[in-house]
């Protein structure tokens, strides 16, 4: 009988997760832990059931039809079958709605992102429109425009698939996605109606029913302060786009199921959300939400890659043994699991902070730090995960390469690593934020009292102190500060991850058997903290600016 390798299989994505069950047990109010655990267990089974469908749907991509047979411009986008199913599942399982429900109080966001974490990787990046939908709901609620909030938030947060709307977020133009101050789209009043004219260059999920976007009202000054925030309903009742042309869909490295388009707005009717200026400031609630989604999605992507790599290691024999029994392979997987566990803690800490009624200085600082740190980790871990499957990991019809291609967007959209490093400096410059980050690490250190956690705690404390000392000194030299911003932000990210992981390990050690599924979580989580502490946590250091000039 010739040899055929069994492909990796996906198990229940809640039960098999080494972090989520204990995090839920710790952070969901005690009265609701049972019900939420049952819900997540069911979603874990659904995520596994969807995986073969995902593989079968691999080659289906969105299609744009610009003209009908009679020469009418129609610009219709058809999404993949799995995306159509995702739309229903996302509404039904409250992937946005759960974050707005009061039943779990301050833990609503933990509940929501636990659902996203378990189900998201099986929905082919449908998380993209959901993230923007969540961001649009939060932005409208924060806008003070009660009429708009009352009209649209119930649609955006509905659990009824027939009622739920998704929203886009159109910020990027040909002038750029990072420096949006140069946006060229203008807004003109036509009677009482604002109309938008311009080109939007990277509109993800163009099948949404509405979008929030920036445009410069006629006569406003150059720069970002002259931009205003607008809400656009994309279609008439008959489905026709409202003075919007879809020029083409983007041909991307990954996220190929997402219908990302280039649009021309040619008198598109729009509603001004707030004041006629300061649109960037008005859209910042969107940024906090989508960046948290990004961090959670980074962690989920790592989980998916590792779940398949671990299963593969239990099925694949080489050199006389299963890969899982090979010391070097097991060591490699262990380090990746530690990286995942650490990233998980930071992303879910952000989710928890989002549940607070107003954005604290700690949340303002942690969200960009988490986004940039976990985005980089996702690419590195997903790359290792496909390598752990050998050549199969590099062959498209195994489905494995998509994991890496999709992960590569995570450090790019919603603010690149460098843009978010600078945003971290901006957040920390506001009163009390650096102190809040240090206090967070110190609080974790004080709670993680088990002797086996002493080294992780010390590594985290020393790295964060080093980072704080560096930034205090670099403040006086703007070029030095900017050049070192990424190393600084990643140091904060990794030391926060380590401190949060050590603290969670302590909780797991203290609660060994609250549920059968949590057996062994204490020693395992502590091992993750010890292993992560051996990785590079403190990256702070001044590189020579002269060398940079020579090299770059
Ligand atoms: C799974 C996840 C899926 C995610 C879906 C993604 C699909 C969408 C694809 C995309 O659209 S990707 C493109 C996304 N683009 C960005 O994320 C923008 C990246 N650039 C930045 O973040 C820049 O830093 C920024 C545009 C904000 C800089 O613009 P400005 O005009 O130079 O901002 P400025 O003057 O620094 O800040 C304006 C105000 O906003 C200030 O407040 P004040 O006026 O009161 O001083 C800032 O403090 C405030 N601000 C800026 N960033 C903030 C913020 N406030 C809170 N949080 C922030 N992050």
């Amino acid at each position: 009988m010739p040899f055929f390798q069994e492909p990796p299989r996906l198990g229940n994505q809640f039960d098999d997760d080494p972090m989520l069950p204990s995090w839920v047990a710790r952070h969901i109010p005690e009265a609701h832990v049972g019900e939420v655990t049952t819900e997540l267990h069911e979603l874990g089974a659904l995520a596994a059931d969807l995986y073969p469908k995902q593989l079968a749907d691999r080659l289906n991509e969105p299609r744009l039809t610009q003209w009908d047979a009679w020469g009418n411009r129609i610009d219709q986008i058809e999404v993949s079958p799995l995306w159509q199913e995702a739309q229903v599942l996302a509404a039904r399982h409250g992937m946005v709605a759960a974050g707005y429900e009061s039943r779990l109080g301050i833990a609503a966001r933990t509940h929501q992102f636990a659902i996203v974490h378990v189900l998201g990787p099986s929905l082919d990046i449908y998380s993209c429109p959901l993230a923007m939908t969540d961001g649009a709901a939060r932005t409208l609620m924060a806008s003070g425009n009660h009429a708009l909030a009352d009209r649209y938030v119930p649609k955006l947060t509905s659990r009824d698939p027939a009622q739920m709307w998704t929203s886009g977020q159109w910020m990027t133009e040909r002038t750029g996605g990072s420096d949006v101050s140069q946006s060229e789209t203008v807004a003109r009043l036509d009677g009482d109606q604002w109309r938008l004219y311009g080109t939007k260059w990277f509109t993800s999920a163009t099948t949404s029913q509405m979008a929030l976007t920036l445009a410069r009202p006629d006569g406003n000054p150059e720069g970002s302060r002259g931009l205003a925030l607008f809400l656009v309903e994309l279609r008439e009742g008959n489905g026709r786009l409202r003075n919007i042309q879809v020029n083409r869909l983007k041909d991307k490295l990954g996220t190929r199921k997402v219908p990302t388009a280039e649009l021309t707005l040619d008198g598109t009717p729009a509603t001004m959300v707030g004041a006629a200026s300061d649109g960037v400031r008005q859209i910042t609630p969107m940024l906090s939400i989508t960046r948290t989604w990004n961090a959670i999605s980074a962690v989920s992507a790592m989980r998916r890659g590792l779940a398949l790599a671990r299963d593969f290691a239990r099925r694949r024999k080489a050199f006389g043994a299963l890969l899982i029994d090979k010391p070097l392979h097991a060591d490699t997987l262990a380090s990746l699991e530690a990286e995942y566990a650490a990233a998980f803690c930071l992303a879910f800490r952000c989710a928890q902070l989002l549940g607070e009624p107003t954005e604290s200085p700690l949340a303002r600082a942690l969200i960009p730090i988490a986004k940039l740190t976990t985005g980089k980790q996702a690419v590195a871990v997903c790359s290792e995960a496909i390598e752990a499957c050998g050549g199969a990991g590099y062959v498209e019809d195994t489905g494995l390469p998509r994991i890496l291609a999709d992960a590569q967007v995570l450090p790019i959209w919603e603010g690149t690593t460098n843009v978010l490093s600078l945003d971290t400096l901006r957040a920390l410059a506001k009163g009390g934020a650096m102190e809040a980050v240090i206090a967070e690490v110190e609080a974790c250190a004080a709670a993680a009292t088990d002797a086996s956690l002493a080294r992780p705690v010390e590594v985290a404390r020393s790295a964060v102190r080093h980072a704080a000392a560096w930034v205090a000194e670099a403040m006086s030299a703007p070029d030095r500060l900017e050049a070192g911003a990424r190393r600084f932000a990643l140091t904060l990210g990794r030391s926060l991850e380590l401190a949060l992981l050590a603290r969670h390990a302590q909780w797991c050690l203290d609660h060994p058997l609250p549920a059968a599924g949590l057996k062994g979580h204490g020693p395992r989580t502590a091992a993750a903290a010890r292993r992560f502490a051996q990785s590079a946590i403190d990256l702070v250091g001044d590189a020579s600016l002269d060398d940079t000039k020579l090299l770059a």
Side-chain angles (χ1 to χ4, degrees), residues 18-19 22 26 334-335 337-339 341-342 345 447-457 497-512 518-535:
M19 293 300 291
S22 59
R26 180 177 157 207
S335 296
E337 288 289 351
E339 199 78 21
C345 291
T449 50
D450 193 84
S452 72
L453 298 169
R455 187 176 141 69
V457 160
E497 286 185 347
L498 181 55
L500 289 161
L501 178 57
R503 182 187 198 165
H504 187 61
Q506 183 68 52
W507 185 91
C508 293
L509 288 167
D510 294 343
H511 299 79
L518 296 179
K519 210 170 168 183
H521 277 228
R524 194 182 194 287
T525 314
R530 290 191 295 273
R531 178 61 67 100
F532 189 63
Q534 288 175 0
S535 70

Side-chain angles (χ1 to χ4, degrees), residues 127-128 131-132 169 171-172 177-178 180 204 224-225 280-281 284 287 290-291 293-294 297 364 413-415 419 423 426 430:
S127 46
C128 168
M132 296 185 290
Q169 164 222 355
M171 296 221 297
T172 303
S178 298
V180 300
S204 289
S224 80
R225 296 223 180 267
V280 171
R281 194 193 305 140
T284 54
L287 302 183
T290 52
R291 288 169 184 176
W293 271 80
N294 206 92
S297 299
R364 172 70 184 93
W413 67 10
E414 290 310 313
V419 166
D423 189 51
R426 181 170 35 203
K430 296 228 160 138

